[in-house]
């Protein structure tokens, strides 16, 4: 066993531990999908707070840590913090056969992780708005036969009916098309950024009674083009109000009521928990 294999295995163990997932495949996938293959040739630029550090060499050992690796430093586009992505993917609990839409795929590293987790039988459609990154993702994902890259705007491009929608760009609210694309039992996880002071990660699950909403941690991603600016008439929540959101509704299905914590045109958030038993 070579040193890099040892390093990958330890990295994968850390990812699985941080995710607290009951799925043993998560560790296996992080150990076998080579992160460096999605980063371009080294040395690499590591983002450290507001500063940047260049790795001392192109040794891939440098990227098997919980570090942000710059993909386009000028645009602030990074490969993403592995601990965060492992936690989010663990929370989504991808299963073989499921259909995934990955929005903001970058060069495809986490698309590859998802593609492995939904195999056999599942597929990943990776959306990327940056043409250069989309081309790189397409080349990087060639060996993953169940992954397809779409160069385009996922806000205006219809998503496939999906079991999982994995969003890696901040939105003021998930577009109606994303929510409608969720199959029964489907999950969407996204960075909710209704204002500069409210950066939250939210998971939404389609239940038989509606869309259950779970804000679960602070999170910051670059803005999602076409879905990151609130209309003037929007009701912007405080962080406390945002954290109390327990469901999402389409205004065409239900008008906002006194339980509303946030309203963004066609979509609104509520303190009502659709999973609660009557009387609770």
């Amino acid at each position: 066993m070579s040193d890099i294999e040892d390093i990958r295995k330890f990295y994968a163990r850390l990812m699985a531990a941080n995710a607290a997932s009951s799925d043993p495949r998560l560790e296996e996938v992080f150990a076998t999908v080579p992160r460096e293959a999605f980063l371009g040739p080294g040395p690499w630029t590591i983002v450290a707070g507001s500063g940047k550090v260049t790795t001392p060499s192109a040794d891939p050992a440098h990227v098997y840590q919980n570090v942000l690796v710059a993909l386009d430093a000028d645009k602030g586009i990074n490969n993403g913090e592995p601990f965060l992505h492992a936690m989010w993917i663990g929370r989504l609990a991808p299963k073989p056969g499921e259909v995934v839409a990955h929005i903001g795929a970058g060069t495809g590293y986490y698309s590859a992780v998802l593609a492995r987790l939904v195999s056999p039988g599942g597929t990943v459609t990776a959306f990327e708005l940056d043409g250069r990154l989309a081309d790189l993702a397409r080349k990087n994902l060639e060996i993953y036969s169940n992954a397809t890259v779409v160069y385009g705007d996922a806000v205006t491009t219809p998503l496939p009916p999906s079991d999982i929608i994995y969003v890696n760009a901040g939105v003021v609210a998930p577009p109606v098309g994303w929510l409608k694309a969720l199959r029964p039992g489907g999950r969407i996880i996204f960075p909710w950024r209704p204002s500069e002071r409210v950066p939250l990660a939210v998971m939404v699950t389609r239940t038989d009674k509606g869309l259950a909403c779970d804000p679960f941690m602070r999170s910051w991603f670059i803005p999602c083009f076409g879905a990151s600016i609130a209309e003037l008439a929007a009701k912007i929540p405080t962080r406390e109000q945002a954290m109390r959101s327990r469901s999402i509704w389409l205004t065409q299905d239900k008008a906002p009521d006194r339980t509303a914590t946030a309203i963004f045109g066609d979509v609104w958030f509520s303190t009502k928990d659709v999973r609660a038993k009557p009387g609770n």
Side-chain angles (χ1 to χ4, degrees):
M1 184 183 297
S2 69
D3 288 344
I4 191 59
E5 289 174 331
D6 272 338
I7 289 167
R8 282 183 183 140
K9 285 182 177 292
F10 183 65
Y11 163 84
R13 193 176 305 163
L14 289 175
M15 296 306 112
N18 190 67
S21 170
S22 60
D23 186 350
R25 300 177 308 137
L26 192 67
E27 180 175 340
E28 176 190 352
V29 168
F30 271 103
T32 54
V33 175
R35 190 183 189 196
E36 71 274 18
F38 296 84
L39 303 178
W44 299 280
T45 300
I46 306 299
V47 180
S50 58
K52 296 180 177 65
V53 179
T54 302
T55 61
S57 71
D59 185 340
H62 298 306
V63 300
Y64 285 100
Q65 305 177 60
N66 186 44
V67 292
L68 291 170
V69 181
L71 298 176
D72 189 325
D74 292 337
K75 294 181 180 179
I77 301 174
N78 306 311
N79 178 244
E81 180 186 329
F83 270 1
L84 179 146
H85 285 276
M87 183 190 301
W88 284 24
I89 292 171
R91 182 175 284 262
L92 285 166
K95 301 174 183 64
E98 290 195 313
V99 175
V100 179
H102 183 190
I103 298 170
T107 56
Y109 176 53
Y110 296 108
S111 303
V113 170
L114 289 163
R116 287 287 308 277
L117 288 169
V118 296
S119 295
T123 61
V124 174
T125 303
F127 291 85
E128 178 50 54
L129 187 60
D130 185 289
R132 184 182 71 86
L133 297 181
D135 285 342
L136 290 170
R138 193 171 288 112
K139 292 173 184 175
N140 294 337
L141 292 168
E142 282 180 348
I143 64 172
Y144 299 85
S145 59
N146 62 332
T148 303
V149 176
V150 175
Y151 166 43
D153 182 358
V155 174
T156 57
T157 303
L159 302 189
S162 302
D163 301 293
I164 291 174
I165 302 176
Y166 192 55
V167 185
N168 293 160
V171 298
V172 295
V176 170
W178 296 0
L179 298 174
K180 286 187 173 182
L182 280 180
R183 290 173 164 174
R187 295 86 71 203
I188 175 173
I189 200 164
F190 62 93
W192 187 23
R193 198 166 176 81
S195 73
E196 287 294 314
R197 294 174 293 179
V198 187
L200 294 173
V202 176
M203 186 161 118
V204 173
T205 305
R206 179 173 292 284
T207 74
D208 57 359
K209 295 181 180 179
L211 295 165
C213 170
D214 293 297
F216 63 93
M217 66 179 286
R218 287 178 59 84
S219 177
W220 190 94
F221 278 74
I222 62 172
C224 179
F225 182 81
S228 61
I229 300 175
E231 299 176 353
L232 291 177
K235 177 182 177 180
I236 308 294
T238 64
R239 187 175 186 279
E240 291 72 23
Q241 289 171 328
M243 285 296 296
R244 289 191 293 110
S245 299
R246 292 294 178 269
S247 60
I248 293 183
W249 300 88
L250 305 184
T251 54
Q252 66 184 51
D253 297 331
K254 181 181 176 71
D257 57 28
R258 61 183 179 81
T259 68
T261 56
I263 305 172
F264 298 97
D266 297 328
V267 176
W268 62 285
F269 294 70
S270 169
T271 57
K272 180 180 179 180
D273 192 333
V274 296
R275 296 160 298 192
K277 295 179 180 180
N280 290 351

